[in-house]
Every structure is written in C-alpha cells, then in structure tokens.
C-alpha cells in the first residue's frame, strides 16, 4: 500500500516547521537574544527531532504517537509561558511567541493529517509488515507504560531546563 497523500503532506509541513524553528533560532542569535552555545544546543535538539519525520515516512506508528506527545508538551509550555507564571525565570522573546502562534495551525494540520482513517490504516499495515503476521504481540503493562512516560517526561523537562539555563551554566564553567 502506498503512503497516503495526507501523510506525505504532514511530513512536508513537519520538515518546514523544523526549518522555520532553526531559522528563528539563527535570527535570535544574530540579534543577540541568544548565545552561540544556546544556538548550538538548539541545533542538536532539532537534529534529534529530525528523526521524527524520517520515521514517519517509513510508517512508524511510534513516531506518530511521539510527535503528538511532543506537540502536547510544546503546547503546555507555551500556555505556561503566556500565562506569566514563570515570567521572571524564562526569557521569552517576541520571535518565540510569534513563531509559536504561526506554527500552531501547522502543527494542528500535521496531527489532523496523521490521524485520518487512511493514515491510521497505513500506519497499522506498516507495523504489521514489520512484525509479520505470525508474530504474537506482547503489550507492556499499564505500570510499565506509566513508568516509561514518567521517565520520558523527566528527560524532556531536563532538556528544556538545560536549554533555558545553558547560558547560566556556560557562565559558571567559564568563570572558574
């Protein structure tokens, strides 16, 4: 079965959003709103995120679910930033807010296209082709799922914390 057009469109839009985020970070560095170390760290993060559209093009349902989880975390962080709860500790630029507003419809479009019935059918067929029809699937327990979600959440929060405070850490290490 060929890849549905909706999945192809979602992958193209996802590549465009990644590219726009990198361009935004380059502009922030050029304007002096972020340092070269922060820019380098963000490039590494986006290089890792590039795995998602690649895996989506191969039919990975885990990549599809992971993308939704990342978008939910991203949306939650935007809501927290816009609410002003952490306004003193988080340095949010106008570029970040503008890009978040511009990319919101794109991210919703990606999710919509990835979860249409023909896309879901294609992802499940791709998973069956990888596993084979004769292999019995053993699903993890609920406790194991919650534990893995908890660990993933802490890992993502740690990366976000390091990204937000990388300039502070660089100052500490270079001042000694």
């Amino acid at each position: 079965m060929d890849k549905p057009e909706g999945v192809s469109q979602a992958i193209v839009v996802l590549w465009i959003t990644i590219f726009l985020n990198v361009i935004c970070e380059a502009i922030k560095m050029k304007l002096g709103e972020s340092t070269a170390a922060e820019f380098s760290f963000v490039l590494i993060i986006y290089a890792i995120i590039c795995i998602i559209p690649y895996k989506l093009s191969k039919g990975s349902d885990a990549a599809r679910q992971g993308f939704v989880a990342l978008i939910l975390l991203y949306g939650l962080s935007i809501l927290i930033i816009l609410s002003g709860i952490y306004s003193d500790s988080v340095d949010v630029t106008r570029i970040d807010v503008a890009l978040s507003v511009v990319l919101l419809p794109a991210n919703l479009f990606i999710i919509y296209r990835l979860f249409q019935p023909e896309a879901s059918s294609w992802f499940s067929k791709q998973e069956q082709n990888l596993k084979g029809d004769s292999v019995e699937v053993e699903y993890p327990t609920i406790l194991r799922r919650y534990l893995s979600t908890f660990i993933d959440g802490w890992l993502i929060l740690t990366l976000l914390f390091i990204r937000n405070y990388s300039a502070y850490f660089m100052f500490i290490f270079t001042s000694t």
Side-chain angles (χ1 to χ4, degrees):
M1 178 176 187
D2 289 338
K3 187 182 331 174
E5 185 67 25
V7 174
S8 298
Q9 291 172 352
I11 292 169
V12 168
V13 173
L14 182 54
W15 280 115
I16 291 169
T17 60
I18 292 170
F19 178 73
L20 288 175
N21 277 305
V22 171
I23 294 296
C24 174
E25 290 298 326
I27 291 170
K28 283 173 44 180
M29 188 181 76
K30 194 74 166 164
L31 294 175
E33 295 177 1
S34 68
T35 64
E38 290 174 333
F39 180 69
S40 299
F41 182 75
V42 169
L43 280 182
I44 292 169
I45 296 299
Y46 283 118
I48 294 169
I49 289 175
C50 285
I51 294 171
I52 293 174
Y54 170 75
K55 294 298 274 183
L56 285 173
S57 69
K58 299 297 182 191
S60 171
D61 194 42
R64 184 172 69 144
Q65 303 296 333
F67 174 73
V68 171
L70 282 175
I71 291 301
L72 289 175
L73 282 173
Y74 178 70
L76 180 64
S77 67
I78 295 300
L79 287 176
I80 289 172
I81 289 170
L82 291 177
S83 70
I85 294 173
Y86 295 108
S87 61
D88 296 337
S89 62
V90 178
D91 183 29
V92 180
T93 63
R94 290 184 199 169
I95 296 172
D96 290 330
V97 174
L99 188 66
S100 299
V101 170
V102 168
L103 292 183
L104 179 64
N107 288 327
L108 292 175
F109 173 79
I110 294 168
I111 291 173
Y112 171 72
R113 294 305 267 175
L114 288 178
F115 285 91
Q116 286 185 322
E118 64 270 3
S120 295
S121 172
W122 181 74
F123 279 109
S124 66
K125 285 197 185 339
Q126 295 300 99
E127 291 291 320
Q128 285 176 355
N129 289 342
L130 291 176
K131 293 178 182 172
D133 293 332
S134 62
V135 176
E136 188 173 315
V137 179
E138 185 176 321
Y139 294 103
T141 64
I142 295 293
L143 179 63
R144 186 170 177 96
R145 288 181 185 202
Y146 281 119
L147 183 61
S148 65
T149 304
F150 179 76
I151 292 169
D152 290 344
W154 273 108
L155 178 65
I156 290 170
L157 287 175
T158 303
L159 289 174
L160 289 173
F161 176 81
I162 291 171
R163 187 235 182 251
N164 287 335
Y165 294 101
S166 61
Y168 175 71
F169 292 129
M170 292 305 242
F171 174 75
I172 289 174
F173 292 126
T174 57
S175 65
T176 57

